[in-house]
């Protein structure tokens, strides 16, 4: 039984560029949440998708957007990348918007 | 916004020693969660606590939900090298089941 799958595992982008990260939830889960984890910090909630809609959002600018597809997979898009966007981006899936998360291994984004 | 403060920030102990760490908040939580994160991986749930005063064990790990609902404690008995990692406390905001607030983590290193 596959857990949460994220791609790519590592990514290097230039300041000002745009990036798309992808997530496939654990089998049986219908909700996807995205977290940003800066080095030495705990994860910070970006947003949550359920039934293909953004249901909750953390304190992140509009440059951060997402999408959920009918098969429950999700994308996180970040526009106009800043150096401060460098972080580990974690996807977590759960059932019916709950916090019984299973986390993926993350995508390490480096902005240069 | 709400914050969870973990202490100590890091610990370096000898194999076989017991470990204690805690997490405090200025706000009340109805649920406390303890996660462990190893290098290159996402957080993995260790213990969930749902009731003030609750004491729950998972193998050599024991966690307690503080009676004030503003703190929680995690103890690891007879540490082994595979206990190495970052331990995070987390909790959902009151009235919001989908978004977790994380502490900044306690880094544990175990010397064989």
């Amino acid at each position: 039984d596959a857990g949460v799958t994220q791609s790519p595992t590592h990514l290097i982008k230039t300041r000002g560029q745009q990036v798309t990260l992808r997530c496939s939830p654990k089998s049986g889960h219908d909700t996807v949440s995205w977290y940003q984890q800066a080095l030495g910090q705990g994860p910070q909630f970006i947003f949550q998708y359920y039934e293909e809609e953004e249901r909750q959002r953390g304190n992140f600018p509009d440059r951060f957007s997402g999408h959920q597809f009918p098969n429950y997979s999700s994308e996180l898009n970040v526009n106009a990348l800043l150096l401060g966007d460098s972080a580990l981006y974690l996807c977590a899936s759960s059932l019916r918007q709950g916090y019984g998360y299973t986390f993926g291994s993350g995508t390490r984004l480096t902005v240069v | 916004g709400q914050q969870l403060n973990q202490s100590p920030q890091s610990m370096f102990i000898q194999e076989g020693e017991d470990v204690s760490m805690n997490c405090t908040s200025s706000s009340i939580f109805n649920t406390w969660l303890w996660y462990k994160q190893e290098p290159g991986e996402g957080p993995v749930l260790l213990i969930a606590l749902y009731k003030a005063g609750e004491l729950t064990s998972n193998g050599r790990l024991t966690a307690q939900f503080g009676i004030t609902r503003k703190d929680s404690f995690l103890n690891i008995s007879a540490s082994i090298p595979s206990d190495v990692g970052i331990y995070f406390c987390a909790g959902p905001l009151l009235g919001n089941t989908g978004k977790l607030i994380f502490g900044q983590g306690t880094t544990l290193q175990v010397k064989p």
Side-chain angles (χ1 to χ4, degrees):
Chain A
D1 179 23
V4 177
T5 305
Q6 291 188 243
S7 63
T9 54
H10 295 84
L11 202 51
I12 299 175
K13 288 286 189 179
T14 303
R15 194 171 39 181
Q17 284 188 318
Q18 180 263 344
V19 68
T20 298
L21 310 182
R22 294 178 176 82
C23 172
S24 293
K26 179 180 177 179
S27 177
H29 284 180
D30 57 10
T31 303
V32 172
S33 303
W34 287 92
Y35 285 78
Q36 181 195 64
Q37 186 176 20
L39 204 59
Q41 301 295 319
Q44 289 208 328
F45 179 82
I46 303 175
F47 42 52
Q48 183 181 77
Y49 277 83
Y50 173 66
E51 292 186 332
E52 301 180 48
E53 288 188 18
E54 182 182 297
R55 298 293 179 165
Q56 300 185 68
R57 189 176 184 91
N59 189 24
F60 280 81
D62 292 345
R63 299 186 297 108
F64 289 77
S65 63
H67 189 78
Q68 186 179 36
F69 299 94
N71 66 354
Y72 308 122
S73 67
S74 176
E75 288 181 350
L76 164 65
N77 301 294
V78 187
N79 293 323
L81 284 166
L82 304 173
L83 296 179
D85 294 331
S86 295
L88 180 68
Y89 287 85
L90 293 163
C91 170
S93 71
S94 59
L95 191 58
R96 289 189 221 106
Q97 298 182 273
Y99 54 80
Y101 292 152
T102 298
F103 280 91
S105 298
T107 294
R108 172 71 63 186
L109 173 65
T110 302
V111 182
V112 297
Chain B
Q2 288 182 301
Q3 245 182 318
L4 296 181
N5 298 306
Q6 289 189 245
S7 65
Q9 210 168 358
S10 63
M11 305 178 77
F12 190 89
I13 62 169
Q14 197 78 31
E15 182 178 359
E17 289 183 355
D18 295 345
V19 172
S20 290
M21 59 189 79
N22 67 64
C23 183
T24 59
S25 170
S26 57
S27 304
I28 287 172
F29 280 80
N30 286 331
T31 299
W32 286 95
L33 307 170
W34 284 93
Y35 286 86
K36 178 186 178 186
Q37 186 175 26
E38 297 184 18
E41 300 294 330
V44 174
L45 182 65
L46 299 173
I47 292 179
L49 303 159
Y50 301 105
K51 191 174 171 184
E54 180 182 353
L55 191 71
T56 298
S57 292
N58 177 6
R60 294 178 295 104
L61 276 61
T62 301
Q64 184 162 23
F65 192 139
I67 208 74
T68 65
R69 295 200 283 158
K70 292 185 178 181
D71 55 9
S72 179
F73 308 88
L74 177 69
N75 295 313
I76 305 173
S77 62
S79 59
I80 58 178
S82 63
D83 290 333
V84 165
I86 306 175
Y87 291 79
F88 291 100
C89 62
L93 294 176
L94 288 185
N96 183 328
T97 60
K99 172 182 176 179
L100 289 182
I101 304 295
F102 281 79
Q104 75 275 33
T106 292
T107 300
L108 177 64
Q109 297 183 65
V110 179
K111 185 177 178 183

